[in-house]
Amino acid sequence: DAGVIQSPRHEVTEMGQEVTLRCKPISGHDYLFWYRQTMMRGLELLIYFNNNVPIDDSGMPEDRFSAKMPNASFSTLKIQPSEPRDSAVYFCASSLASYNEKLFFGSGTQLSVL
Amino acid sequence: GNSVTQMEGPVTLSEEAFLTINCTYTATGYPSLFWYVQYPGEGLQLLLKATKADDKGSNKGFEATYRKETTSFHLEKGSVQVSDSAVYFCALSAYNNNDMRFGAGTRLTVKP
């Protein structure tokens, strides 16, 4: 299996622009997570899905952020409009059902908002 | 709520030194505990895990024992190598929430 695949690897955009980050989880995994990593705040959970359904989005910073999972093999995280404080590394991760299963992380998207 | 607290870094050691990175947790019930490692430019990857009290997780010379009495899961390695330089994250998942909770991460640098 190719693992969790994220795209793009790097994104540079200007303030106010829309940004879309993409994720393909490992086939057969029931859970998908979006995390954000910054020096100041560490690794923060933004939202997670179970069987394509959003379960907990309490970590989404504000209404500018939205996430979808239209099918079991694809998810997007959208920021509209983007702001410089959104600059971070965004990770997607997936896991099998069950709470004590390990997470498989993608390589992340480095987002820079100028 | 569920959370983990790990020692702040950065930690700098000489090659072959002994490593300890402390991690304590707060959780309802009996969580599973994990250590993840992140190498530069990469995502996190599982290093080891333990799912019940007194379990010892081990991998690549690293060990951690699930101590319910002290709510701890400290990471240890007897002799570190330069290639162990990375950021280490303690994490927890519990039956009452399916998301993984991570500590702040500890950056380890091993010098030759």
Side-chain angles (χ1 to χ4, degrees), chain A residues 64-105:
Chain A
R64 298 185 297 106
F65 286 69
S66 62
K68 294 181 179 179
M69 192 165 185
N71 57 62
S73 59
F74 184 66
S75 177
T76 60
L77 178 68
K78 185 176 294 186
I79 308 172
Q80 166 63 16
S82 58
E83 296 182 3
R85 60 194 168 118
D86 301 330
S87 298
V89 181
Y90 291 80
F91 287 104
C92 175
S94 70
S95 71
L96 293 168
S98 173
Y99 73 90
N100 64 352
E101 288 292 330
K102 71 176 185 179
L103 298 186
F104 292 80
F105 280 80

Side-chain angles (χ1 to χ4, degrees), chain B residues 39-109:
Chain B
Y39 299 102
E42 299 182 10
L44 282 70
Q45 54 186 278
L46 180 69
L47 180 59
L48 54 85
K49 77 174 192 180
T51 58
K52 61 183 187 295
D54 300 324
D55 266 3
K56 178 185 284 188
S58 61
N59 186 25
K60 300 180 181 180
F62 290 89
E63 293 183 339
T65 301
Y66 189 141
R67 302 284 189 200
K68 189 172 185 297
E69 63 276 13
T70 55
T71 62
S72 65
F73 192 55
H74 305 322
L75 182 68
E76 298 181 335
K77 186 174 185 182
S79 176
V80 294
Q81 305 300 312
V82 173
S83 57
D84 294 327
S85 299
V87 182
Y88 292 83
F89 293 86
C90 187
L92 167 159
S93 71
Y95 75 95
N96 60 336
N97 64 272
N98 280 308
D99 59 292
M100 190 80 68
R101 304 290 172 94
F102 288 88
T106 302
R107 181 176 299 278
L108 170 67
T109 301

Side-chain angles (χ1 to χ4, degrees), chain A residues 26-86:
Chain A
I26 293 173
S27 176
H29 282 191
D30 294 328
Y31 288 85
L32 183 139
F33 304 81
W34 282 101
Y35 285 88
R36 178 172 68 176
Q37 186 179 39
T38 62
M39 289 292 291
M40 291 297 294
R41 302 173 68 93
L43 202 61
E44 303 173 275
L45 177 67
L46 301 178
I47 184 171
Y48 76 94
F49 296 83
N50 178 23
N51 292 323
N52 313 338
V53 177
I55 302 301
D56 184 353
D57 65 354
S58 59
M60 296 286 262
E62 48 197 277
D63 292 345
R64 298 185 297 106
F65 286 69
S66 62
K68 294 181 179 179
M69 192 165 185
N71 57 62
S73 59
F74 184 66
S75 177
T76 60
L77 178 68
K78 185 176 294 186
I79 308 172
Q80 166 63 16
S82 58
E83 296 182 3
R85 60 194 168 118
D86 301 330

